[in-house]
Amino acid sequence: MLNLTGKVAAVTGSGSGIGRGMALAFAHAGADVSCSDVVPGRAEETAVMIRALGRRATAAVVDVRDRAGLGDWAGATVHDLGRLDIAVANAGIARGSSVLTMGEEDFDTQMDVNSKGVFLTVQATARAMVRAGRGGRIIVISSIAGERPEPGAFAYCGSKAAVRMMARCWAQDLAPFKITVNSIGPGFIDTPLAAGAIGEGDIRALNERWVPLGRVGYPADIGNLACWLASDEAEYITGTYNIMDGGLVDAGGWGMQTGQPPMRDAYREMLRTMSGDQLLATLDQMTVEALAEVERLRIERGLQ
Ligand SMILES: NC(=O)c1ccc[n+]([C@@H]2O[C@H](COP(=O)([O-])OP(=O)(O)OC[C@H]3O[C@@H](n4cnc5c(N)ncnc54)[C@H](O)[C@@H]3O)[C@@H](O)[C@H]2O)c1
């Protein structure tokens, strides 16, 4: 097992899902962890879990859109835990809409959290690392949505593509300081965010069919990859994008909305089990092909 003993990691959005999974993985590997989240109480819940593992942990309420707040958090991490070796810009949100309907405020919020928030997190934590002069590891969370287009999700996809490229540029900026910067592109990971994107479907059951490796991903999977990228052994890896999706993208599976066969069949099956209300509520997430399927089912079932 990778050994992060003596290191301190800081993770944004670590009060849920992948962020919590990475924070716990770092702690299992021996690191102390500075947790933060915008929702009060959430980071503290993760910190309690980490302390139960025998590691030190702090918790703070930080909105990644707040530059001063992130600077204070990075400073407090060094003050309270003694150093800052590993930083993860993880916090993110998903707001879907097509280009025809997306509101300006929704677009700005999506970009502010997912792209600008990652920049501000990297800036605040990299400055603390440069001040300490010991190098460091920075990991940013992109998505497979940043490499494949998806109807009705252009702002999310764009924000994740931006993060992936910015990470490569930051790897160049920070190489002289022996700070590595790498991005992770998760596939479907079993979290509240992914469940929201899937809608009424059972994310585990659907992924058993969609994913070549036969299961949905878990936050602990991403945690394992983050530990590797954060380890001393990964000191020569920088500017890379690390997909972790169980083979989904290469199998053409990412495309529930684009109608590629594996997703389309699984989605059709899911639609057959939905109630009329659920069907109607799912309309917003559909492609032309899936919409046609909904229309057919509505007529077949006599729904208005
Ligand atoms: N779950 C997936 O399948 C999946 C796939 C690809 C990428 N991702 C990315 O992984 C990251 C984590 O997602 P998740 O699935 O764990 O979601 P999640 O909703 O379970 O957790 C996200 C956390 O970020 C916090 N957060 C939201 N806005 C914030 C803000 N402005 N400032 C600080 N914290 C904020 C939330 O409170 C929440 O605790 C996101 O960047 C997401 O886009 C997730």
Side-chain angles (χ1 to χ4, degrees):
M1 181 175 184
L2 293 162
N3 190 353
L4 300 180
T5 304
K7 312 265 189 212
V8 170
V11 187
T12 65
S14 48
S16 174
I18 293 173
R20 176 173 286 172
M22 290 187 290
L24 290 171
F26 290 143
H28 276 293
D32 296 328
V33 188
S34 172
C35 307
S36 71
D37 202 287
V38 71
V39 177
R42 276 195 184 171
E44 179 56 28
E45 280 175 22
T46 305
V48 167
M49 295 175 189
I50 289 170
R51 290 183 205 118
L53 296 172
R55 306 308 323 165
R56 293 185 301 160
T58 55
V61 177
V62 182
D63 188 328
V64 294
R65 293 169 291 184
D66 173 7
R67 190 183 206 184
L70 284 164
D72 290 346
W73 176 56
T77 300
V78 174
H79 180 268
D80 298 339
L81 298 175
R83 50 196 291 151
L84 174 53
D85 306 285
I86 303 155
V88 188
N90 162 75
I93 55 172
R95 297 214 172 151
S97 212
S98 96
V99 68
L100 297 174
T101 52
M102 172 67 84
E104 195 175 344
E105 203 183 317
D106 271 351
F107 177 82
D108 286 346
T109 305
Q110 181 75 89
M111 290 295 174
D112 280 352
V113 175
N114 287 15
S115 293
K116 188 176 171 188
V118 169
F119 149 56
L120 294 176
T121 302
V122 170
Q123 184 177 66
T125 54
R127 284 179 173 176
M129 290 174 184
V130 169
R131 271 195 293 275
R134 279 192 295 263
R137 299 275 183 275
I138 293 176
I139 298 165
V140 308
I141 304 302
S142 178
S143 169
I144 56 172
E147 59 181 292
R148 296 288 289 265
E150 181 189 345
F154 77 95
Y156 184 74
C157 294
S159 72
K160 291 298 181 181
V163 154
R164 186 177 159 192
M165 175 51 82
M166 288 193 293
R168 293 173 66 186
C169 299
W170 297 329
Q172 298 293 316
D173 289 341
L174 297 173
F177 303 98
K178 301 286 180 266
I179 298 169
T180 66
V181 186
N182 294 287
S183 63
I184 294 178
F188 269 111
I189 310 299
D190 192 5
T191 73
L193 181 143
I198 294 257
E200 300 290 336
D202 176 340
I203 186 172
R204 293 186 189 194
L206 288 171
N207 275 271
E208 278 174 22
R209 291 198 49 185
W210 294 342
V211 175
L213 284 179
R215 67 167 173 86
V216 71
Y218 294 105
D221 291 314
I222 304 297
N224 289 333
L225 176 55
C227 281
W228 160 245
L229 292 172
S231 69
D232 287 345
E233 288 82 351
E235 70 172 3
Y236 203 55
I237 302 175
T238 198
T240 67
Y241 165 69
N242 299 266
I243 190 169
M244 195 185 217
D245 70 343
L248 183 63
V249 165
D250 277 349
W254 177 247
M256 172 171 61
Q257 295 86 346
T258 47
Q260 289 160 351
M263 289 267 194
R264 188 191 57 213
D265 292 348
Y267 214 57
R268 185 173 284 145
E269 190 173 291
M270 182 175 89
L271 287 171
R272 286 188 205 288
T273 66
M274 282 180 164
S275 71
D277 282 351
Q278 287 168 338
L279 273 179
L280 295 174
T282 311
L283 272 175
D284 284 349
Q285 299 178 17
M286 301 284 160
T287 58
V288 174
E289 187 180 358
L291 275 170
E293 179 71 356
V294 171
E295 288 305 309
R296 199 186 63 71
L297 286 164
R298 283 176 64 185
I299 292 164
E300 185 182 295
R301 295 179 188 186
L303 299 168
Q304 291 307 306

